[in-house]
Amino acid sequence: GQQLNQSPQSMFIQEGEDVSMNCTSSSIFNTWLWYKQDPGEGPVLLIALYKAGELTSNGRLTAQFGITRKDSFLNISASIPSDVGIYFCAGRYGNKLVFGAGTILRVKS
Amino acid sequence: DAGITQSPRYKITETGRQVTLMCHQTWSHSYMFWYRQDLGHGLRLIYYSAAADITDKGEVPDGYVVSRSKTENFPLTLESATRSQTSVYFCASSVPRDGEAMNTEAFFGQGTRLTVV
């Protein structure tokens, strides 16, 4: 079945630094989504991407849908302590979403 | 705006017992999903439903049963719980984006942490 490879698995960065994470797959997806999950909560949608090459921003977050439709990246600029959590990418195929294993982000204040 | 709610939030049960996890959404979204979250695996789809009385298997359906008699409810039943079903379960719902037939973004509940002992 479709699989997403999300990297890095975890990051420990200094407050104020920029962060980058990405997802790749051998399969083509029609939609890429990025979610954030806080401890004890469900994932919350951050950014949705619908077209190859699309670049979308949401505040300090920027995400891109790869031209090949097999990858996507998420950038967080000027990280702050509340950015900690687990970030998931998800790709849509048909009516279903497949998720990456997540990137754990820890921020040093 | 209640959104999507799951109950219970926490459950401990014994091996072999039947357990039902509840999911209720107030948006009238057509699609609903059940995922399980385990370390190292991210979120894996168990079952999903495109509408009332329409359900289909996901990636890891074995040992689970779902039903959808009403649009707003999508219960997940473990017929005979096993230790391998210890996990955090998330329900989600979504609606087709304008102009598209397929569902897109999924909105998640807060999860049910199930422990099978």
Side-chain angles (χ1 to χ4, degrees):
Chain A
Q2 285 78 358
Q3 287 190 329
L4 295 182
N5 300 309
Q6 186 171 350
S7 64
Q9 286 186 322
S10 65
M11 303 180 72
F12 196 25
I13 64 170
Q14 196 77 30
E15 183 178 355
E17 286 183 347
D18 296 344
V19 174
S20 184
M21 60 191 78
N22 68 82
C23 273
T24 61
S25 176
S26 58
S27 303
I28 290 174
F29 292 95
N30 295 319
T31 301
W32 283 94
L33 307 173
W34 284 92
Y35 287 85
K36 183 192 177 198
Q37 184 179 26
D38 292 323
E41 300 293 330
V44 174
L45 183 67
L46 299 173
I47 290 181
L49 302 158
Y50 301 105
K51 294 180 181 178
E54 180 179 355
L55 184 71
T56 297
S57 293
N58 178 9
R60 294 179 295 107
L61 308 177
T62 301
Q64 184 158 31
F65 191 145
I67 290 291
T68 65
R69 294 165 61 193
K70 295 182 179 180
D71 63 332
S72 177
F73 72 75
L74 174 71
N75 287 341
I76 305 172
S77 63
S79 57
I80 59 178
S82 62
D83 288 336
V84 299
I86 305 176
Y87 292 79
F88 290 100
C89 63
R92 178 174 70 81
Y93 68 102
N95 291 324
K96 293 174 279 190
L97 292 177
V98 61
F99 284 81
T103 295
I104 301 172
L105 182 62
R106 300 181 179 91
V107 180
K108 291 182 285 187
S109 57
Chain B
D1 185 358
I4 184 164
T5 55
Q6 293 182 235
S7 61
R9 290 294 310 275
Y10 303 92
K11 176 74 176 178
I12 299 175
T13 191
E14 294 178 338
T15 300
R17 290 196 179 265
Q18 183 179 82
V19 178
T20 296
L21 309 184
M22 305 302 293
C23 178
H24 175 79
Q25 53 111 349
T26 59
W27 294 308
S28 298
H29 284 174
S30 52
Y31 282 88
M32 296 188 74
F33 308 85
W34 274 106
Y35 290 88
R36 60 178 290 172
Q37 185 176 30
D38 305 289
L39 277 175
H41 289 281
L43 290 149
R44 291 182 292 175
L45 182 64
I46 304 171
Y47 268 96
Y48 70 103
S49 169
D53 297 323
I54 301 174
T55 62
D56 207 347
K57 295 178 180 179
E59 182 185 355
V60 288
D62 293 344
Y64 303 96
V65 175
V66 293
S67 62
R68 186 126 180 248
S69 57
K70 293 183 178 181
T71 300
E72 60 267 30
N73 297 323
F74 191 38
L76 176 73
T77 298
L78 288 67
E79 293 191 300
S80 179
T82 65
R83 288 195 179 88
S84 65
Q85 292 177 309
T86 293
S87 185
V88 181
Y89 291 85
F90 286 100
C91 178
S93 70
S94 70
V95 65
R97 184 166 169 250
D98 289 345
E100 290 196 14
M102 302 295 187
N103 64 298
T104 53
E105 302 96 335
F107 298 91
F108 286 81
Q110 290 186 301
T112 295
R113 182 174 293 275
L114 177 68
T115 302
V116 183
V117 298

